[in-house]
Every structure is written in C-alpha cells, then in structure tokens.
Amino acid sequence: MKRINIAIDGHSSCGKGTLAKQLASALGYKFIDSGAMYRAVTLYVLRMDVDPENDDAVHSVLPQISIDFVVNNATGRSDVCLNGENVEKEIRTLRIANSVSQIARIPSVRRFLVMLQQKMGADKGVVMDGRDIGTVVFPDAELKIFMTANPEVRALRRFNELTENGIKTTYEEVLANLKQRDHIDSSRSDSPLTMTSDYRLLDNSDLSREEQFSQALKWVEEALGNKI
Ligand code: DC
C-alpha cells in the first residue's frame, strides 16, 4: 500500500502534536515531534551553561549531542532522548520554552536537526510536526497542513494544560511567551515559519478535535488518491 509523508506546520500551541499523533495512529505511521528535538538541544545548551545567544558556542557543542526517540510503554507515545537519557518531561518546562526559539534560530542547529529528520522520513510513513517540515525537511511531502488558531484561544488551552499538570503560571505569562515565540519563529532569517501555496490551511479556533481530525483524514484520502 502507498505510504506518504505528512508535514504539519504552524504556530506554537495550536495542537499540531495532537493531530499528528491521531493521524499517525490511524494510519500506522511513525509520529515525530521535531520541536522536541529543538527542545532537547536547548536543554543540553542550558545544562552546559552555554549562552543561547552565542551562535559559535552553541555550534561547538553540537557534536556532543545525540537525539533519538524511544517508545514509552506507560503512555504508548514516543519520548525524546538526549544522549540516551529520557528528557521528555524536562523539555516541557517554561525554562526551555523561554530559550528554545533562540536556539532554533541558529543555522547550524537547524542543519544538524534537519539532517536527522530527513533520515527518519526517508522510508515514508511519517507524520512530522514543526515549523519548516513542509518547506525544508520534506519539501516533497504528499500532504502539508498549516495549523493555526487565534493567540488568545491557544494561550488559554496551553494555560489550562500547564495548570492541570501542576505547573504554576499565569494566563498573561503564557500569552506573552506564545506571542514572542510566534514572532521569533516567523521572522528568523533561516527557515522562518511560512505557509506556501501547497499547504492546506487548518484554523482550529472554532473546531473540536474530532472536527479537525475528520478534515485532516479527508485530505489524507485525497493525497493517497483512494479511500483508506
Ligand atoms: O513545537 P514546539 O513548541 O515544541 O517547538 C519548540 C520550538 O522549536 C519553537 O519555538 C519553534 C522551534 N521549532 C522549529 O524552529 N522548527 C521545527 N521544525 C520545530 C520547532
């Protein structure tokens, strides 16, 4: 049966990972969270006391980093590993969120991770979410989805999620972090977040998870050229 690669790009905290996981599990594909890879590099840089604004210093520690994914038997999901250590929890903190866009703007970091991502998708059957998956990582992906939602809706969803997980923060702080990340992600010179004409736009401000999933599945059917 024909297998395709699916690229899901878009703004921070609009549910790209949720949709990517749903699609991967429905299709029996591999889900890869490319943002987790940028977060893992950020964690390493901070642990080594390297200044995220110093491109040369960050570049020089890249050869010390290996990143892969392992299946977490408790959740059934893929967790990201940094040099063999499962860091899935640690990369989701605000400390990492506040520095990751700085790290993701550095060209040598992007080249390093894009190469790894392309290897992961070489045999097709991958759903990968991020910012540059359809433009840089898999420019020939058979289906490209661009997800967005208005910032207030995204900040509220993210705030509720963090609060439910016992992380202390305020709605205002989450909104400010999200707007700052949107700005850096869209305005950086290397691989900025952009929607080209070959993307399908999915604005989920007013959509339920089920509605967006069924829309995406229709696009998958079209991309496969048959019913699944
Ligand atoms: O999707 P996320 O919030 O986990 O991504 C974390 C950061 O990494 C985000 O600020 C943008 C960056 N990123 C990127 O530049 N390119 C990707 N393919 C994925 C994430």
Side-chain angles (χ1 to χ4, degrees):
M1 192 169 144
K2 183 180 168 191
R3 282 153 68 86
I4 60 173
N5 278 343
I6 301 175
I8 304 185
D9 291 307
H11 291 113
S12 295
S13 302
C14 60
K16 297 187 297 292
T18 303
L19 178 64
K21 269 176 233 157
Q22 280 177 312
L23 286 177
S25 115
L27 298 164
Y29 284 12
K30 231 183 335 179
F31 159 61
I32 296 166
D33 173 358
S34 71
M37 301 169 78
Y38 287 91
R39 287 168 181 266
V41 171
T42 305
L43 175 62
Y44 187 81
V45 166
L46 295 183
R47 277 183 178 176
M48 298 304 284
D49 268 332
V50 171
D51 176 3
E53 308 220 350
N54 183 338
D55 295 17
D56 291 339
V58 173
H59 172 73
S60 71
V61 299
L62 293 178
Q64 302 162 18
I65 300 178
S66 93
I67 293 177
D68 49 38
F69 289 89
V70 283
V71 175
N72 179 326
N73 291 326
T75 61
R77 296 189 188 145
S78 287
D79 287 353
V80 70
C81 290
L82 168 65
N83 294 335
E85 174 193 352
N86 188 326
V87 291
E88 185 62 34
K89 256 215 170 109
E90 220 173 328
I91 59 161
R92 305 291 163 195
T93 57
L94 265 182
R95 174 173 168 255
I96 300 297
N98 285 332
S99 296
V100 63
S101 286
Q102 278 304 330
I103 296 295
R105 128 203 100 67
I106 301 174
S108 61
V109 171
R110 304 205 67 85
R111 278 196 303 274
F112 173 64
L113 292 182
V114 166
M115 219 174 60
L116 278 177
Q117 291 154 3
Q118 287 175 334
K119 271 193 203 148
M120 294 172 175
D123 296 329
K124 301 273 181 187
V126 159
V127 187
M128 193 178 291
D129 79 310
R131 305 294 187 291
D132 61 341
I133 310 306
T135 51
V136 177
V137 180
F138 303 136
D140 56 358
E142 291 80 355
L143 174 61
K144 303 180 185 182
I145 299 175
F146 191 96
M147 284 179 71
T148 191
N150 76 50
E152 288 73 22
V153 169
R154 289 188 277 137
L156 188 61
R157 287 180 191 156
R158 186 89 191 107
F159 171 70
N160 289 338
E161 201 177 279
L162 288 169
T163 311
E164 275 162 27
N165 287 324
I167 296 171
K168 262 200 154 160
T169 181
T170 61
Y171 168 78
E172 287 72 25
E173 189 181 9
V174 174
L175 181 62
N177 171 265
L178 195 140
K179 283 186 171 168
Q180 190 200 15
R181 282 207 282 156
D182 282 356
H183 175 70
I184 300 178
D185 294 344
S186 307
S187 62
R188 67 176 174 230
S189 53
D190 188 338
S191 322
L193 172 64
T194 23
M195 187 181 125
T196 47
S197 60
D198 49 351
Y199 276 90
R200 313 284 195 140
L201 176 65
L202 186 59
D203 181 333
N204 67 11
S205 305
D206 300 310
L207 289 184
S208 68
R209 279 184 187 188
E210 293 68 33
E211 285 168 330
Q212 76 170 14
F213 180 53
S214 90
Q215 172 61 77
L217 265 188
K218 280 187 196 134
W219 289 332
V220 171
E221 286 172 13
E222 275 177 45
L224 283 168
N226 59 3
K227 290 274 170 211
I228 48 173

